[in-house]
Amino acid sequence: MGIVLGTNQYGKAEVRLVHVDRSTPQHVITDVNVTSQLFGDFTETHLTGANGAVIATDTQKNTVYALARTGGITTIEEFALRMARNFVGKYDQVTGARQEIEQYSWNRIETDATPAHDHAFVRAGTETRTVVVTKRGAAETVISGLKDLVVLKSTGSEFWGFPDVEYTSLRETTDRILATEVSARWRYVDTDVDWDKAFAAVRQTMLDFFAGTHSYSMQQTLYAMGQGVLEAHPEIAEIRFSMPNKHHFLVDLSPWGLDNPNEVWFAADRPYGLIEAVVTRDDVPADEAAWAGIAGFC
């Protein structure tokens, strides 16, 4: 029996970086978490411990800081592409790179004196913007996305017609609260994209279809959101969703002689339904390699 080294990668995970653009009196904050990983022929370090080909993970960390200083950060997609191109272009033994970035949002503080303060910020909600850039030789793939986008509809949602099988206790309803915490990632066809404009447009499209779709199931709503994105944005090849159903249960107030016309609900945090799916164009080739290591997206 022979034993061989399989697929491998290595790098520095979760490099925290806050970049302040001071080019104008109104500063711009970019708060990110960067994970850098490299592919290549690193067999010797695994088999013998010889590190002659290894670009140290500490070097990758310092590269994050250096590239932020020398080129700034316009968008996380542009920065991840610049990181990947730097590693693959600079080191012969590095044949590919995977750069993953999360961006945390800050809003300008509004005061009586200033509607938008030049250099004072308040952290926005839990929503996080994401990107994964994979570069293998000349081929580059960009998967943008977001996570922890919490949305809710107080009506316009039903759920009925499901099988009443053994152990079924859920009651059918024609009027319920529909709530979820959207995590979505979408793969672009190429890299010639206005990243900020595309991100904002995709996010708004998802919100439009969540709000505007009369829902008979979370699955139907998910598909409507994905279909809406792909129809409106030809630059996107596919979109993947992970959407937990944040259940709200109508409280029974009858023991105290009170009715409850869908006004008082119990918000349960667990257990929850977890709905995940891929919505894709049928005329664009799949690229499963680009999704490697991205958990929770089918």
Side-chain angles (χ1 to χ4, degrees):
M1 179 187 70
I3 299 175
V4 297
L5 176 68
T7 302
N8 62 90
Q9 61 190 34
Y10 79 98
K12 185 69 83 176
E14 300 198 48
V15 180
R16 290 290 282 114
L17 162 67
V18 175
H19 180 268
V20 183
D21 182 346
R22 300 171 178 266
S23 59
T24 70
Q26 188 175 71
H27 295 173
V28 178
I29 294 286
T30 306
D31 184 355
V32 295
N33 190 34
V34 182
T35 292
S36 170
Q37 294 175 301
L38 305 182
F39 316 127
D41 185 4
F42 303 111
T43 304
E44 282 304 310
T45 191
H46 288 88
L47 301 187
T48 70
N51 297 318
V54 176
I55 306 301
T57 65
D58 190 66
T59 302
Q60 295 180 55
K61 175 199 70 177
N62 293 334
T63 300
V64 174
Y65 298 138
L67 292 186
R69 174 64 187 93
T70 57
I73 304 177
T74 56
T75 67
I76 58 174
E77 287 85 358
E78 179 276 331
F79 189 61
L81 281 166
R82 186 147 45 95
M83 289 280 296
R85 291 165 181 170
N86 173 83
F87 288 122
V88 175
K90 184 173 291 185
Y91 306 108
D92 291 339
Q93 69 271 39
V94 177
T95 59
R98 183 182 187 272
Q99 309 297 310
E100 181 169 3
I101 303 178
E102 298 177 341
Q103 181 177 4
Y104 313 114
S105 298
W106 292 84
N107 296 329
R108 297 186 185 281
I109 292 178
E110 297 181 1
T111 68
D112 292 338
T114 57
H117 201 283
D118 283 349
H119 55 267
F121 302 83
V122 59
R123 178 69 182 268
T126 59
E127 181 187 343
T128 302
R129 180 173 170 177
T130 65
V131 69
V132 176
V133 165
T134 305
K135 181 175 177 63
R136 296 183 184 273
E140 299 174 339
T141 303
V142 177
I143 297 175
S144 294
L146 55 81
K147 64 179 181 178
D148 302 330
L149 174 62
V150 180
V151 291
L152 179 149
K153 290 178 66 170
S154 56
T155 191
S157 174
E158 309 180 27
F159 191 60
W160 50 270
F162 48 88
D164 185 8
V165 297
E166 188 178 17
Y167 306 129
T168 298
S169 63
L170 185 66
R171 295 179 180 178
E172 294 184 338
T173 179
T174 58
D175 191 0
R176 67 171 181 169
I177 287 178
L178 182 71
T180 186
E181 188 174 285
V182 180
S183 293
R185 295 192 189 245
W186 51 91
R187 177 170 62 91
Y188 289 98
V189 175
D190 56 39
T191 60
D192 185 18
V193 177
D194 184 331
W195 303 115
D196 276 346
K197 182 179 179 180
F199 176 83
V202 171
R203 182 183 184 276
Q204 187 59 53
T205 300
M206 289 191 294
L207 293 176
D208 289 346
F209 277 86
F210 178 83
T213 300
H214 186 93
S215 179
Y216 294 97
S217 68
M218 184 69 80
Q219 289 89 333
Q220 177 216 2
T221 296
L222 179 157
Y223 185 80
M225 293 165 66
Q227 183 180 31
V229 167
L230 294 183
E231 287 179 345
H233 303 284
E235 71 275 19
I236 295 174
E238 63 177 309
I239 183 166
R240 301 188 177 196
F241 291 95
S242 181
M243 293 170 53
N245 197 331
K246 300 177 76 68
H247 296 301
H248 290 69
F249 299 107
L250 197 65
V251 177
D252 180 9
L253 300 178
S254 61
W256 305 282
L258 297 173
D259 66 354
N260 188 4
N262 285 4
E263 291 184 2
V264 181
W265 303 79
F266 167 66
D269 65 342
R270 65 194 66 184
Y272 52 84
L274 181 58
I275 315 302
E276 297 179 324
V278 182
V279 186
T280 185
R281 301 183 187 278
D282 61 7
D283 59 345
V284 177
D287 187 0
E288 288 303 320
W291 292 92
I294 304 178
F297 290 89
C298 298

